[in-house]
Amino acid sequence: MTPSPYPVIRLKPKAQARAIRHGAPWVYDNELVTDRRTKKIAPGSIALLEDAERNPLALVAVNPNSRIMCRVLERDCGKVIDGDWLRDRLAHALALRERLYEAPFYRLVHAEADGLPGVVIDRFGDTAVIQPNAAWAERLLDPMAEALVQVTGVNTVLKNAAGRARGLEGLDAENTVLVGQAPGAPLAVPMNGAIYMADLMGGQKTGLFFDQRPNHAFAARLSEGARVLDVFSHVGGFSLAALAGGAEHALAVDGSAAALDLAMQGAREAGVEARFATRKGDAFEVLGQLAEEGAQFDVVICDPPAFAPSKKALEAGLRAYERVARMAAPLVAEGGYLGLCSCSHAADLARFRGASVRGIGRAGRDAQLIHTGFAGPDHPLHPQLAESGYLKALFFRL
């Protein structure tokens, strides 16, 4: 075999080489032989990973400063990680999305599940937003942007540096334009018959959350002729979908005035602003106020931020999810529907469901669980990485 052009990094004798051979994407620092030579490997470098018997296992991206010291890029150790390799990976990801969606609005790359660990790319027509959340992707950002233009035909590529993982990887928090020109205004994104306004330069994450698309669609089916409350609405995710599904009226609640302005702009673009209202405020406070006002809705959806972003935050996060359910349930009219969502990977489905059911019970309501939803297929799961299946949506009839 031709000698590898890459430095070598080796597993300890007791580490699980079989797991890597069978597709595990991460190798932790305590599984590796870390001598002075390996610690000097620059963050973001590519290396050849060997087992304890010096058999090649995979090409990996290395960051000696991270607990996840190696991320598997390629199990064919004869490959070279270059522009051609990036084009192949992007083309493979694009083929799935083109089969799934008629219009080019979707998550194009979902990190490890698309073979590009730590990389998120969302596509908005002719514009793509890259979140390079791992050191190797930051080092190869220019060739990645070039490959993205060649494979997809987009004419604008933006870098978004808001990913929480970037800090853990020792990376900057600077958003930049990599190709083309930054959009001067929010972009209109059609989804589920609604129109959403995505602020790609100043909005949350990459500007819009594509992951809830199938759950928006399910909520819209429940919403014909209904009064709808959308709490933690961001740019109107569930409320605008509900209006497209024939809701009589929808109220969007969020703490961000900018997000609610975008939601109202989306309602205007779709011609449904007469049936739409917004309310700025802390979600828990507004839920309490609505209860005091005696408000009732046929469909209530709560889609909060990650209350349990890590294992340390799990117990507090579960209490917060229970509180959301307890405060939202009394606002649901008899025979109405309650949708509860979690994007916390640390709170698995069973724990999140348990917290939600406890909250509904504490509110004195009886419930039927009618649907469990997950992220759309443009957010594939890596079968050996539980973290990639972070999104859960539970729909109850009360």
Side-chain angles (χ1 to χ4, degrees):
M1 183 178 168
T2 312
S4 174
Y6 299 115
V8 173
I9 196 162
R10 195 166 293 120
L11 287 179
K12 288 178 178 175
K14 290 187 178 176
Q16 288 293 319
R18 185 185 297 171
I20 306 298
R21 287 195 181 94
H22 292 176
W26 291 351
V27 187
Y28 290 95
D29 55 2
N30 61 0
E31 299 176 283
L32 294 159
V33 176
T34 49
D35 52 22
R36 261 183 301 187
R37 183 188 56 81
T38 54
K39 285 182 178 171
K40 279 185 182 169
I41 295 175
S45 297
I46 312 301
L48 173 66
L49 177 68
E50 294 182 343
D51 65 16
E53 284 75 46
R54 299 180 182 253
N55 299 305
L57 285 174
L59 297 179
V60 293
V62 181
N63 188 344
N65 304 324
S66 171
R67 280 252 21 240
I68 305 167
M69 192 164 162
C70 293
R71 298 170 185 265
V72 174
L73 295 176
E74 173 64 68
R75 285 191 286 164
D76 179 349
C77 298
K79 288 280 180 76
V80 176
I81 308 302
D82 58 7
D84 287 340
W85 184 87
L86 287 166
R87 279 188 287 278
D88 285 347
R89 285 287 155 105
L90 291 168
H92 190 69
L94 179 65
L96 171 65
R97 279 69 182 184
E98 288 187 333
R99 183 163 286 250
L100 291 169
Y101 302 107
E102 289 177 11
F105 298 92
Y106 40 66
R107 173 148 296 181
L108 174 64
V109 169
H110 193 51
E112 277 77 356
D114 279 302
L116 290 165
V119 178
V120 166
I121 304 177
D122 284 344
R123 183 175 182 182
F124 302 88
D126 292 331
T127 301
V129 182
I130 305 180
Q131 266 197 355
N133 294 327
W136 80 272
E138 188 76 22
R139 282 187 76 161
L140 292 179
L141 194 52
D142 288 338
M144 189 179 293
E146 188 181 326
L148 188 57
V149 170
Q150 290 167 348
V151 169
T152 64
V154 298
N155 53 34
T156 302
V157 181
L158 310 175
K159 171 194 163 186
N160 179 284
R164 198 174 68 91
R166 284 182 64 81
L168 303 175
E169 289 275 306
L171 302 173
D172 65 48
E174 187 185 348
N175 296 343
T176 54
V177 179
L178 301 172
V179 177
Q181 285 189 307
L187 301 185
V189 178
M191 218 166 21
N192 290 318
I195 294 173
Y196 297 94
M197 303 309 295
D199 180 357
L200 304 191
M201 296 305 291
Q204 282 187 42
K205 297 290 175 76
T206 60
L208 194 69
F209 297 103
F210 286 124
D211 52 2
Q212 286 281 22
R213 183 177 346 214
N215 302 316
H216 290 162
F218 186 81
R221 287 173 58 196
L222 302 175
S223 297
E224 189 175 357
R227 299 159 296 169
V228 176
L229 173 64
D230 177 10
V231 187
F232 307 97
S233 73
H234 189 226
V235 296
F238 281 97
S239 40
L240 296 182
L243 290 168
E248 179 188 299
H249 185 268
L251 172 63
V253 175
D254 201 87
S256 165
L260 292 176
D261 287 346
L262 289 169
M264 185 57 80
Q265 207 177 322
R268 276 197 294 274
E269 289 278 335
V272 295
E273 71 270 31
R275 295 184 281 131
F276 184 58
T278 65
R279 191 154 165 174
K280 180 186 176 296
D282 173 82
F284 291 106
E285 287 178 15
V286 174
L287 286 169
Q289 290 161 6
L290 289 169
E292 285 172 16
E293 293 162 19
Q296 290 278 279
F297 300 89
D298 305 298
V299 177
V300 175
I301 318 264
C302 299
D303 182 17
F307 286 146
S310 64
K311 286 179 182 173
K312 280 184 191 168
L314 178 59
E315 291 310 316
L318 291 173
R319 287 194 295 274
Y321 287 123
E322 181 180 327
R323 186 180 174 209
V324 168
R326 176 173 57 79
M327 295 186 74
L331 301 175
V332 180
E334 183 69 30
Y337 300 92
L338 175 62
L340 299 170
C341 307
S342 165
C343 59
S344 300
H345 69 77
D348 64 17
L349 177 59
R351 284 190 176 95
F352 172 59
R353 191 170 54 213
S356 300
V357 169
R358 279 195 303 277
I360 293 168
R362 286 183 65 195
R365 300 299 298 268
D366 292 322
Q368 297 166 288
L369 178 57
I370 62 166
H371 180 70
T372 301
F374 302 97
D378 54 342
H379 291 63
L381 269 75
H382 188 296
Q384 298 193 47
L385 194 62
E387 286 85 347
S388 62
Y390 62 97
L391 185 68
K392 288 81 61 179
L394 303 172
F395 288 87
F396 299 90
R397 184 172 180 241
L398 303 193

